[in-house]
Amino acid sequence: MMQAVRLNGVNDLVVASVAEPIPAADEVVVRLRAAALNHRDVWIKSGQYAGLKWPAVPGSDGAGVVEATGPAVNSDWLGRDVIVNPSFGWGADERAQGRDFSILGLPRDGTLAEKIAVPVSQVAAKPSHLSWEESAALPLAGLTAWRALFSRAQLRAGERVLVSGIGGGVALFALQFALAAGAEVWVTSSAPEKIARAVAMGAKGGFDYRTAGWAADALKVTGGFDVIVDSAGGAGFEQLIDAAATGGRIVFFGATRGNPPVLPMRKVFWRQLTLLGTTMGSPADWAAMVDFVAKHQVKPVVSATFPIAQAGDAFALMERGEQFGKIVVTMAG
Ligand SMILES: NC(=O)c1ccc[n+]([C@@H]2O[C@H](COP(=O)([O-])OP(=O)(O)OC[C@H]3O[C@@H](n4cnc5c(N)ncnc54)[C@H](OP(=O)(O)O)[C@@H]3O)[C@@H](O)[C@H]2O)c1
């Protein structure tokens, strides 16, 4: 038996003893050293996610050591330090995922457990410059930020970028990746201290998205943004349209604040704006992201770390939105 975070129903989270995974022919069993939360896990816990099933072991991010191999997997994998790609079954089309696409941690049991079985094609070598906690923080958010900025928005060096809600896990990777790619990066946040931390990391400056008229100020100060990365949506989305430079691209992968109540179409077409949706990433995006992180020695920002026995506190922190970066859960041993 092993320890795992188990959701027995809506907001019914326990740390329980569950059966250990047995690898299928093409799978490896990874003894996880650390896992990380994504907002998806909070949506699942609160019953606000498609395809819910109970009980469920959530968690899309993990890093650990290969402990067992299925019969079709080369035993050279045993003992290797790996990270897990949570984007399963993307398919052959780079433009979008196919019908078999799924995300680790629902419907399949996830990484908030001492062990996980995954196809060997889903693991990659752990980046050697990262700790276990930093490695576990990387996969889902790094992949999403990578595809948003580079595969979808086609970010180029020298462009001006705005990343909204900089406390978020994906948002911080977007900041780090865009800086490493030679962009000028600005941020928004509800917390002045999070803006200050982003500036200390290399952002040019920031705006409080709760202040009425912040977008007009941003336009005045910066001249507008070539690329805007958002996952909040909601009523604030119109301000992002206002803050875009002529010909700008707004790329989004979440709707934490729901749908925008209006879409000001005239502003979008007259100013030649492009609205881009994105989700997770393909195997090619994954490989490129892992290479980029190694080349630029990007270090994920870990906001807080909890032992698995206190996983409920990790969820509560994300529910309060107080984090700056990723929330990590560590396993004993
Ligand atoms: N489609 C995909 O592939 C994909 C992948 C990853 C995430 N997502 C979605 O993207 C969203 C973020 O995920 P995450 O894991 O990065 O979440 P997270 O770490 O919980 O990020 C939450 C952050 O959202 C920001 N925020 C809240 N309300 C905002 C608003 N009105 N305007 C701007 N920012 C606001 C806050 O930033 P401040 O604290 O700075 O104010 C908060 O720190 C979620 O909805 C998630 O489901 C989708």
Side-chain angles (χ1 to χ4, degrees), residues 173-312:
F173 281 110
L175 167 65
Q176 292 177 292
F177 291 175
L179 286 171
E184 174 186 310
V185 189
W186 295 73
V187 302
T188 71
S189 180
S190 57
E193 62 276 12
K194 293 187 185 181
I195 294 176
R197 289 185 69 176
V199 169
M201 290 170 65
K204 266 265 176 171
F207 307 91
D208 185 335
Y209 59 72
R210 298 166 309 173
T211 307
W214 72 263
D217 291 346
L219 211 49
K220 226 179 286 164
V221 174
T222 69
F225 302 101
D226 304 302
V227 172
I228 298 178
V229 181
D230 181 55
S231 61
F237 196 75
E238 188 169 1
Q239 302 252 39
L240 299 181
I241 291 173
D242 289 340
T246 306
R249 293 94 78 198
I250 303 176
V251 61
F252 56 94
F253 49 84
T256 304
R257 298 293 173 218
N259 292 326
V262 290
L263 178 64
M265 290 181 66
R266 290 179 183 83
K267 290 180 184 174
V268 174
F269 71 69
W270 188 251
R271 292 174 38 230
Q272 312 276 353
L273 303 184
T274 304
L275 304 186
L276 292 160
T278 189
T279 278
M280 303 286 288
S282 68
D285 291 321
W286 168 258
M289 184 277 287
V290 172
D291 281 355
F292 184 90
V293 164
K295 180 173 168 207
H296 295 280
Q297 298 283 291
V298 175
K299 285 206 171 208
V301 179
V302 174
S303 185
T305 301
F306 297 84
I308 190 167
Q310 286 159 29

Side-chain angles (χ1 to χ4, degrees), residues 48-284:
Q48 297 171 275
Y49 205 87
L52 289 171
K53 67 165 182 72
W54 316 112
V57 176
S60 305
D61 285 335
V65 182
V66 175
E67 183 184 84
T69 50
V73 177
N74 190 322
S75 57
D76 285 356
W77 279 96
L78 289 171
R80 288 199 195 161
D81 296 348
V82 295
I83 54 174
V84 182
N85 174 2
S87 186
F88 278 56
W90 179 276
D93 190 346
E94 281 302 317
R95 292 172 307 173
Q97 68 274 34
R99 282 169 175 271
D100 295 335
F101 176 73
S102 66
I103 301 172
L104 181 59
L106 184 83
R108 203 183 164 104
D109 279 353
T111 54
L112 287 165
E114 287 177 310
K115 297 182 187 188
I116 191 166
V118 291
V120 68
S121 55
Q122 295 297 130
V123 300
K126 168 185 166 291
S128 57
H129 69 294
L130 300 183
S131 67
W132 285 115
E133 288 82 356
E134 290 163 342
S135 299
L138 178 65
L140 188 148
L143 179 63
T144 304
W146 170 271
R147 182 172 172 87
L149 281 175
F150 300 114
S151 302
R152 301 292 284 140
Q154 301 277 308
L155 177 66
R156 294 181 291 271
E159 289 193 306
R160 190 176 296 124
V161 175
L162 178 71
V163 182
S164 76
I166 198 60
V170 184
L172 266 167
F173 281 110
L175 167 65
Q176 292 177 292
F177 291 175
L179 286 171
E184 174 186 310
V185 189
W186 295 73
V187 302
T188 71
S189 180
S190 57
E193 62 276 12
K194 293 187 185 181
I195 294 176
R197 289 185 69 176
V199 169
M201 290 170 65
K204 266 265 176 171
F207 307 91
D208 185 335
Y209 59 72
R210 298 166 309 173
T211 307
W214 72 263
D217 291 346
L219 211 49
K220 226 179 286 164
V221 174
T222 69
F225 302 101
D226 304 302
V227 172
I228 298 178
V229 181
D230 181 55
S231 61
F237 196 75
E238 188 169 1
Q239 302 252 39
L240 299 181
I241 291 173
D242 289 340
T246 306
R249 293 94 78 198
I250 303 176
V251 61
F252 56 94
F253 49 84
T256 304
R257 298 293 173 218
N259 292 326
V262 290
L263 178 64
M265 290 181 66
R266 290 179 183 83
K267 290 180 184 174
V268 174
F269 71 69
W270 188 251
R271 292 174 38 230
Q272 312 276 353
L273 303 184
T274 304
L275 304 186
L276 292 160
T278 189
T279 278
M280 303 286 288
S282 68

